[in-house]
Amino acid sequence: MNQTLSWQELKSPVQYVKGIGPSRAKTLAKAGVNTCLDLLYYFPRTYQDRTQFSLIPFLKDGEVATVKARVVSVQETKPRPGLHLLKVIISDGRGRAEAVWFNQPFLKKQFASGQEVIFSGRVSRRFGPIQFSNPDWEILDEDKDPLHTGRIVPIYPLSGNLTQRAFRRKMKDIIDAYAPKVPEFLPPSFLAKFGLMPLNMALTQVHFPESQDYLKEARKRFIYEELFLLQLGFALRWKEKKTKGGISFKTEGPLTEKFLKSLPFKLTEGQAQALEEIKKDMRSPRPMNRLLQGEVGSGKTVIACYAMLVAVQNGYQAALMAPTEILAGQHFMVLEELLKDFSINLALITSGMRKNQREEMRGALKEGKIDIAVGTHALLQEEVSFKRLGLAVIDEQHRFGVMQRKILKEKGLSPDVLVLTATPIPRSLALTIYGDFDISTIRGLPVGRQPITTYLVNTSRAKDVYNFVRREIAKGRQAYIVCPLIGSEEDENLAAQAALKLKEGLEKEVFPDLHLGLLHGRMSHQEKEEVMRLFKDNQIQVLVSTSVIEVGIDVPNATVMVIWNAERFGLAQLHQLRGRVGRGSHKSYCILLADPKNEDALKRLDVMVRTNDGFLISAEDLKIRGPGEFFGLEQHGAPELKVTDLFSPETQKYLEDCREQAFFYAEEGQGLFRKFPLLSAMMEERFPFNSQFAEVG
């Protein structure tokens, strides 16, 4: 008899696993369990330690406790029609208690006087006798270990008609039958280096741990496994990219020298360091793959502009892709200002352009007459082609789908890629999402940038807030008022209507003597540009807007940001909106008008009031929402970590260990998979690098 399961057996449909069948398989499929391997890796979501027995007389009301006792008697009554009450009287020799079940008459046949039983559940002492209501129970059998109590008990993430008790029994049978036959796929030297459990033992202990120590070691094995598989994929892709022929740019030249001299400020230490890292990458004959992260206003665009000039002065084109038309437009305006004294041909390409305009731009781009193209998803259209694309800059990468980034990159022959994000993230998450990117981080803000004082104010005090706005305007300053999110963020029609209604109300009842402007996503690019020009020139004193202003807008004279119903916005979005003020020499304020109804909303707003630090805000946001929601991971093809807790203190060490080993093993290339054929299969199974996610970057 074959003692090792083949890959085909591990990948066989779950319905053919003994004890599952078609009905349970349908329920499990909703939880993503489709194969035998999925079932083995369907780990408990938590555990209850039911190994410590309490004495009945010392039980406390409301506590969850476990007792070992003998059945004294079994009683059933029907207090009223439709209600069946089953009582099992138990004694541990020190005292008596009742285990009570409602409308479960079939349980009566399970118990008999004199049986030794373990009960676990919540204790009630409010009505005289000590009671366990609907407890878990296990009848002790000398030939069997207890499964549902008297041990560390697994609690599975179940839905539908599956019950913990029934599923736990099925899983025990499955683990006993299959776990000893599951082949190890990690290299023995990797297991030995970190003292990791072999796979079959880890599977047994993660499902039905013998002790807390065994459980800890089993979970450690699966965390290392998960991170190693992920980082090995990154390492192999990194190796492949680094062996590809790229463009070796000359990074110093007349354009870049003139650019640095033209800046009205000196680069910060963080900017200078990031620039040196990018220059080193661009000089290399291998394609650059770098993430540049820094919070709102840290100067990422200036660094990206330098990189684009490097491409241009070497005879190549550059592209900058942004997720929204208004952000693309703002990037275009910023680049126009930075390069106004340069003979650089800039173009803005968006889907909102007129057809003849768009066709003219495409022709110029194909002929190489455009040096730097700024655009939205319109850059990805099949009709858009570059004569010689040398650098692709992608802003706010996590807001694009994976294939979209791949399409832009393929419009050139191994162009350098620079990704920008104003959502700084902890290193552990950065290496999880961008494992095959080199990472540069700009910490700190440019000289002269003002800290912003943030207040949380109940919406009932909106009148006081508007009086404060008026006082700031009397000093010559300007203000933003952001209307609340209506429906989904994508519903621009509703958002535009809400913004228009808010503006009209403010003009009529609050600021009839002031000049108000309106900005929303349904306006044309030309209309948006005109509104922003008037606001920059202080011909508009109060700009009423939807959240389209969250990035890219720079008006130094604006000192107040009022955000209506701030509890509806995410932390990153609130921080981006706040970053529109504090850009000049005047004291600036952000006022969050909100009525938070739940704890998460209150936590977000409290973080905003406490700190201006984008890195801290990002970390708190990640804690509150979790990585999946934080980055929209499923939508954008990033990996799902089933076991690893990114906030656990040891995660960073485990990650660094796995990354180092992954890059070490990647040097063996295909030889590694010839030695360990299941390693490749498991890597593809957990993190399908040949699918969309393989093409990030």
Side-chain angles (χ1 to χ4, degrees), residues 392-442:
V393 179
I394 303 169
D395 194 21
E396 296 301 335
Q397 159 157 294
H398 61 279
R399 289 170 65 171
F400 288 103
V402 175
M403 291 308 293
Q404 295 167 322
R405 300 190 286 272
K406 178 175 182 281
I407 291 166
L408 178 61
K409 191 177 176 183
E410 289 181 347
K411 289 184 180 285
L413 291 172
S414 296
D416 281 1
V417 174
L418 179 63
V419 169
L420 311 178
T421 180
T423 309
I425 54 179
R427 179 170 169 78
S428 58
L429 183 62
L431 290 179
T432 304
I433 305 296
Y434 302 110
D436 56 338
F437 279 70
D438 296 304
I439 301 171
S440 294
T441 302
I442 302 176

Side-chain angles (χ1 to χ4, degrees), residues 94 161 163 311 377 386 455 574 631 671:
R94 298 287 189 93
N161 58 359
T163 65
H377 302 74
F386 293 77
Y455 297 103
L574 290 171
F631 252 107

Side-chain angles (χ1 to χ4, degrees), residues 24-230:
R24 286 195 181 97
K26 277 186 183 178
T27 304
L28 287 168
K30 294 174 186 175
V33 177
N34 299 296
T35 67
C36 174
L37 185 65
D38 292 338
L39 190 59
L40 292 171
Y41 273 74
Y42 191 56
F43 297 154
R45 62 176 170 80
T46 189
Y47 302 84
Q48 289 181 0
D49 190 339
R50 300 176 182 173
T51 59
Q52 301 301 311
F53 298 122
S54 300
L55 294 172
I56 289 175
F58 301 107
L59 294 175
K60 295 175 183 174
D61 184 50
E63 75 171 322
V64 175
T66 300
V67 299
K68 185 191 287 187
R70 288 197 180 274
V71 175
V72 175
S73 64
V74 180
Q75 304 170 3
E76 59 177 335
T77 58
K78 293 182 179 178
R80 61 174 184 271
L83 178 62
H84 179 278
L85 185 65
L86 177 69
K87 284 185 183 180
V88 175
I89 313 301
I90 58 173
S91 169
D92 65 357
R94 298 287 189 93
R96 287 194 175 198
E98 298 175 351
V100 181
W101 289 270
F102 298 93
N103 292 330
Q104 296 185 58
F106 56 88
L107 286 177
K108 180 184 177 184
K109 64 179 79 167
Q110 301 291 332
F111 300 102
S113 181
Q115 285 176 329
E116 191 172 20
V117 184
I118 300 175
F119 286 102
S120 291
R122 192 167 298 280
V123 176
S124 170
R125 298 192 68 148
R126 290 172 295 168
F127 306 110
I130 300 169
Q131 284 189 343
F132 288 90
S133 182
N134 293 304
D136 266 333
W137 52 275
E138 188 89 28
I139 297 169
L140 291 180
D141 184 330
E142 289 180 4
D143 299 325
K144 280 187 178 180
D145 291 328
L147 185 62
H148 309 293
T149 188
R151 62 174 302 136
I152 298 171
V153 177
I155 308 296
Y156 290 92
L158 300 180
S159 60
N161 58 359
L162 292 175
T163 65
Q164 287 292 336
R165 190 177 182 86
F167 187 74
R168 196 178 294 132
R169 171 53 62 196
K170 294 297 177 193
M171 280 302 297
K172 184 66 166 70
D173 292 342
I174 289 161
I175 291 299
D176 287 348
Y178 286 85
K181 300 178 185 179
V182 177
E184 180 60 74
F185 60 88
L186 291 179
S189 55
F190 179 79
L191 295 173
K193 186 175 180 68
F194 303 112
L196 303 178
M197 268 186 186
L199 180 55
N200 42 29
M201 182 179 180
L203 282 170
T204 300
Q205 294 299 327
V206 82
H207 283 283
F208 298 98
E210 293 174 34
S211 68
Q212 292 289 357
D213 286 342
Y214 275 116
L215 174 57
K216 184 179 178 182
E217 288 303 309
R219 287 186 59 80
K220 178 184 171 184
R221 181 262 141 72
F222 288 115
I223 293 169
Y224 266 91
E225 174 187 308
E226 191 166 63
L227 294 175
F228 178 68
L229 291 174
L230 176 64

Side-chain angles (χ1 to χ4, degrees), residues 589-602:
Y589 307 89
C590 177
I591 301 171
L592 308 171
L593 278 169
D595 300 307
K597 298 288 193 297
N598 62 60
E599 191 177 347
D600 278 357
L602 195 57

Side-chain angles (χ1 to χ4, degrees), residues 227-266:
L227 294 175
F228 178 68
L229 291 174
L230 176 64
Q231 293 300 320
L232 182 59
F234 282 138
L236 291 167
R237 285 161 52 194
W238 183 89
K239 183 186 175 189
E240 183 189 356
K241 288 172 184 174
K242 292 303 180 185
T243 55
K244 275 185 181 177
I247 306 163
S248 180
F249 291 105
K250 183 181 177 184
T251 56
E252 271 72 34
L255 281 181
T256 51
E257 286 175 19
K258 181 181 176 182
F259 177 69
L260 289 178
K261 287 177 183 175
S262 72
L263 294 175
F265 52 82
K266 184 183 176 184

Side-chain angles (χ1 to χ4, degrees), residues 566-613:
E567 73 275 10
R568 297 186 187 178
F569 293 85
L571 252 179
Q573 204 172 20
L574 290 171
H575 184 55
Q576 292 272 21
L577 288 167
R578 178 169 62 181
R580 297 311 103 213
V581 296
R583 292 173 165 259
S585 57
H586 308 290
K587 175 67 183 165
S588 292
Y589 307 89
C590 177
I591 301 171
L592 308 171
L593 278 169
D595 300 307
K597 298 288 193 297
N598 62 60
E599 191 177 347
D600 278 357
L602 195 57
K603 281 181 184 175
R604 289 198 302 274
L605 299 173
D606 179 59
V607 170
M608 285 294 294
V609 171
R610 281 192 287 115
T611 182
N612 282 283
D613 185 331

Side-chain angles (χ1 to χ4, degrees), residues 281-565:
D281 282 356
M282 296 189 78
R283 285 193 294 266
S284 165
R286 296 179 294 275
M288 173 170 72
N289 215 38
R290 185 166 289 275
L291 168 71
L292 176 60
Q293 63 171 356
E295 64 172 287
V296 179
S298 60
K300 298 181 298 297
T301 307
V302 169
I303 304 304
C305 185
Y306 184 101
M308 288 188 279
L309 287 177
V310 167
V312 172
Q313 75 184 3
N314 281 267
Y316 289 85
Q317 296 164 291
L320 193 164
M321 186 167 75
T324 65
E325 283 201 14
I326 192 161
L327 180 53
Q330 286 300 317
H331 275 307
F332 182 72
M333 287 166 62
V334 169
L335 291 176
E336 268 190 325
E337 179 63 27
L338 287 170
L339 302 175
K340 62 186 176 185
D341 297 324
F342 292 71
S343 299
I344 299 290
N345 292 321
L346 280 168
L348 177 65
I349 301 175
T350 66
S351 53
M353 298 169 68
R354 291 194 299 274
K355 186 180 178 183
N356 61 338
Q357 238 185 336
R358 202 160 53 239
E359 287 176 355
E360 184 184 331
M361 289 290 189
R362 286 173 184 163
L365 197 60
K366 190 173 183 178
E367 292 169 23
K369 294 177 181 177
I370 292 171
D371 299 310
I372 298 175
V374 182
T376 56
H377 302 74
L379 288 174
L380 305 173
Q381 292 169 354
E382 198 176 331
E383 301 84 1
V384 174
S385 60
F386 293 77
K387 184 178 182 181
R388 211 174 179 216
L389 180 64
L391 173 67
V393 179
I394 303 169
D395 194 21
E396 296 301 335
Q397 159 157 294
H398 61 279
R399 289 170 65 171
F400 288 103
V402 175
M403 291 308 293
Q404 295 167 322
R405 300 190 286 272
K406 178 175 182 281
I407 291 166
L408 178 61
K409 191 177 176 183
E410 289 181 347
K411 289 184 180 285
L413 291 172
S414 296
D416 281 1
V417 174
L418 179 63
V419 169
L420 311 178
T421 180
T423 309
I425 54 179
R427 179 170 169 78
S428 58
L429 183 62
L431 290 179
T432 304
I433 305 296
Y434 302 110
D436 56 338
F437 279 70
D438 296 304
I439 301 171
S440 294
T441 302
I442 302 176
R443 290 193 174 271
L445 295 175
V447 177
R449 191 58 62 85
Q450 301 293 316
I452 303 159
T453 302
T454 303
Y455 297 103
L456 174 58
V457 179
N458 192 278
T459 54
S460 62
R461 295 183 56 201
K463 185 177 178 183
D464 296 335
V465 172
Y466 290 145
N467 287 336
F468 177 76
V469 169
R470 183 177 285 282
R471 288 197 296 273
E472 282 294 297
I473 289 169
K475 298 176 189 175
R477 308 286 84 79
Q478 292 163 274
Y480 298 95
I481 298 179
V482 177
C483 72
L485 285 172
I486 305 292
S488 68
E489 281 183 76
E490 287 74 29
D491 199 337
E492 291 184 348
N493 281 322
L494 279 175
Q497 292 167 24
L500 177 61
K501 186 177 178 182
L502 178 61
K503 176 180 176 278
E504 289 173 346
L506 291 172
E507 280 179 323
K508 184 178 178 181
E509 300 170 14
V510 183
F511 303 121
D513 54 326
L514 300 180
H515 297 291
L516 274 66
L518 179 66
L519 195 68
H520 57 72
R522 298 302 300 168
M523 296 165 70
S524 69
H525 176 66
Q526 289 76 14
E527 288 172 324
K528 291 171 189 170
E529 276 197 330
E530 178 60 15
V531 169
M532 288 314 305
R533 185 189 67 76
L534 292 171
F535 192 52
K536 272 198 162 186
D537 293 344
N538 205 357
Q539 294 181 51
I540 290 174
Q541 295 157 305
V542 178
L543 180 61
V544 178
S545 174
T546 61
S547 59
V548 294
I549 59 153
E550 67 178 277
V551 276
I553 290 175
D554 186 7
V555 180
N557 192 51
T559 59
V560 185
M561 168 63 68
V562 178
I563 305 171
W564 264 99
N565 294 122

